[in-house]
Amino acid sequence: MFRVRAVLLICCFILTTFTIGIAQDAPPECSGTLPSRFYSAVYGQVLPGSANNLRAAPGVNAEKIGELPPYAVFEILDAPVCADGYLWWYVGYPNVNDTVGWTAEGDAAEYWIEPYIHPEPEVLLTPDDTEGHDTCQRRVPRYLL
């Protein structure tokens, strides 16, 4: 029993250290944009209003592969890139196709996405949960995504 607990504690410590190590790097400055708020975030959420475009590469001329609707929760998969005057984040969105792509944080006047901390960090909201954002009935464990 003691061994099992010790192994679990060590695994938790290693995972926490690894996650914090990745998330603590400050994003690059991108002239013409507001300072990034994602320096320690693992998840993000689209702010109310318009949907955020999801692109195949960072840049306004890259192929549009989808949209992140308002209130959509997504996972940050890699460090950001500054391109075409926007700070682009590589994100995963748990929809039918497990879409991954690049989305911009905002412009010089406003943010379009924000850091998101879920009360149950091992669970992500599905796209169905973002409809009528006040109810979150269906959840998918992260390991199933």
Side-chain angles (χ1 to χ4, degrees):
M1 184 71 159
F2 177 73
R3 274 190 173 165
V4 172
R5 285 184 182 173
V7 169
L8 287 174
L9 285 173
I10 290 170
C11 288
C12 287
F13 175 75
I14 290 170
L15 287 173
T16 302
T17 303
F18 179 71
T19 302
I20 290 172
I22 290 174
Q24 292 301 324
D25 294 337
E29 289 188 29
C30 190
S31 94
T33 64
L34 294 169
S36 178
R37 301 184 296 175
F38 282 85
Y39 62 90
S40 63
V42 177
Y43 298 103
Q45 181 175 27
V46 179
L47 291 167
S50 300
N52 246 37
N53 289 332
L54 196 62
R55 299 193 178 272
V60 295
N61 295 320
E63 175 189 1
K64 182 179 167 185
I65 57 174
E67 289 185 342
L68 300 171
Y71 303 101
V73 175
F74 54 86
E75 185 173 10
I76 296 171
L77 302 175
D78 204 352
V81 171
C82 184
D84 298 332
Y86 298 95
L87 192 60
W88 298 86
W89 290 89
Y90 188 61
V91 302
Y93 182 52
N95 64 4
V96 177
N97 299 322
D98 292 328
T99 304
V100 294
W102 295 86
T103 194
E105 185 171 351
D107 59 17
E110 66 180 325
Y111 292 103
W112 304 324
I113 59 177
E114 67 182 354
Y116 178 79
I117 300 173
H118 194 279
E120 301 174 53
E122 75 281 356
V123 177
L124 285 178
L125 299 175
T126 66
D128 294 339
D129 294 331
T130 61
E131 293 176 18
H133 64 86
D134 56 339
T135 59
C136 297
Q137 298 173 0
R138 191 179 132 207
R139 296 178 184 200
V140 177
R142 183 171 173 209
Y143 62 86
L144 294 177
L145 298 175

